[in-house]
Amino acid sequence: MMLSDYQELRDLVSKFADSEVAPLAASIDKNEKIPSDLVGKLGENGFLGSYVPEEYGGAGMDYVSYSIIVEEISRACASTGVLISAHTSLCVYPILNFGNEEQKKKYLPKLASGEHIGCFCLSEPNAGTDAGSLTTFAEDKGDYFEISGTKNFITNGKEANIAVVFAKTSKTDNYKGISAFIVECDSEGFEVMKCEDKLGIKGSSTAQIAFDKVKVPKENLLGEYEKGFKIAMNTLDGGRIGIAAQALGIGEAAFRYAKHYSNERVQFGKPLHAIQAIQFKLADMSTKLAASRLLIWEASRRKDNGEEYSLQSAQAKLFAAEAAMWITTQAIQVCGGNGYTKEYPVERFFRDAKITEIYEGTSEIQRVVIAANELKSLK
């Protein structure tokens, strides 16, 4: 796509976000639910299958386009942005990238249209970042696998129709015995145990899911047997770009509001933005957003071109998430006492931003990934 095509897409998504998403953001946060008709509109506009090829019912765009969509929707509502991100990069992507032709034809069209929502089941109560320690087990029963175990912090878990699930198929104490499966969430034994009561992104469900002898057909093994860890890590590399784009959208929303507020609020006989201390805050916000966007675009471009992008996705996620947290904090400072009240949206931006430093690997994990990539040349 040409630069003008990306700008045209941004304009289109921005208008949708401003007219269809932003007016609902406060109620989504308060009611802790994204309306089903909004999810339907996301599907109708191609936002849930952006980089899925047209032959599988998608919009046939690229990963740069996907990052633009997540950014603009997250600017309007972070909960809606992460629904798109988790659905697209964590469920759709591994099926598209590792699934066989039959799996793609069966699952991708409904996922791309939004008829089905997807989730990614890796984390467990005692196995978060340490994925090799997961205990969910898939026992080979001949014609099918039988999965038992518990998954934690599953985004879209409550609404999901399709889950990409990781389970041990060998009783190892490391990642080598992990396989990936496509699981239909209406299967007997699949149960949403609870949804977390969270600080932010409250409209997005974060669920604990139990698997009680869930039968999964052999044809739903995703990728190669006991190569699931590779699928999970590859998927998370792309997922970090989506979270970085979400953080960027949140930061942009906070910056725009702070800038507007500094123009409307008059103190000492002049608007706040006439005070140099406020100008410095706005300048730093703008610069961090610009840097975040460039990092996200570089990671996305490399992914689209088939280049190595693990380092770049970790850099984008680390920088954009920490920038969003800083920007939303400063936006509250600009708004003063008003910014600390729920009458103003900056406190919601602040609450929503924090999670971007945690999921898809904490900021500390991103630093480990970045350092490991940078130190390869020394070996």
Side-chain angles (χ1 to χ4, degrees), residues 233-249:
M233 295 303 103
N234 183 276
T235 299
L236 289 174
D237 278 342
R240 289 179 181 122
I241 299 175
I243 299 307
Q246 181 196 359
L248 173 58

Side-chain angles (χ1 to χ4, degrees), residues 48-61 88 92 96 108-109 112:
L48 296 175
S50 54
Y51 54 74
V52 175
E54 293 180 6
E55 63 184 292
Y56 301 121
M61 294 187 279
T88 311
V92 170
L96 176 63
L108 289 179

Side-chain angles (χ1 to χ4, degrees), residues 9 57 161 275 292 294 325 334 349 352 367 369:
L9 173 65
N161 308 97
I275 301 171
S292 297
L294 289 173
M325 199 66 237
V334 170
F349 302 152
D352 289 342
R367 288 184 167 88
V369 173

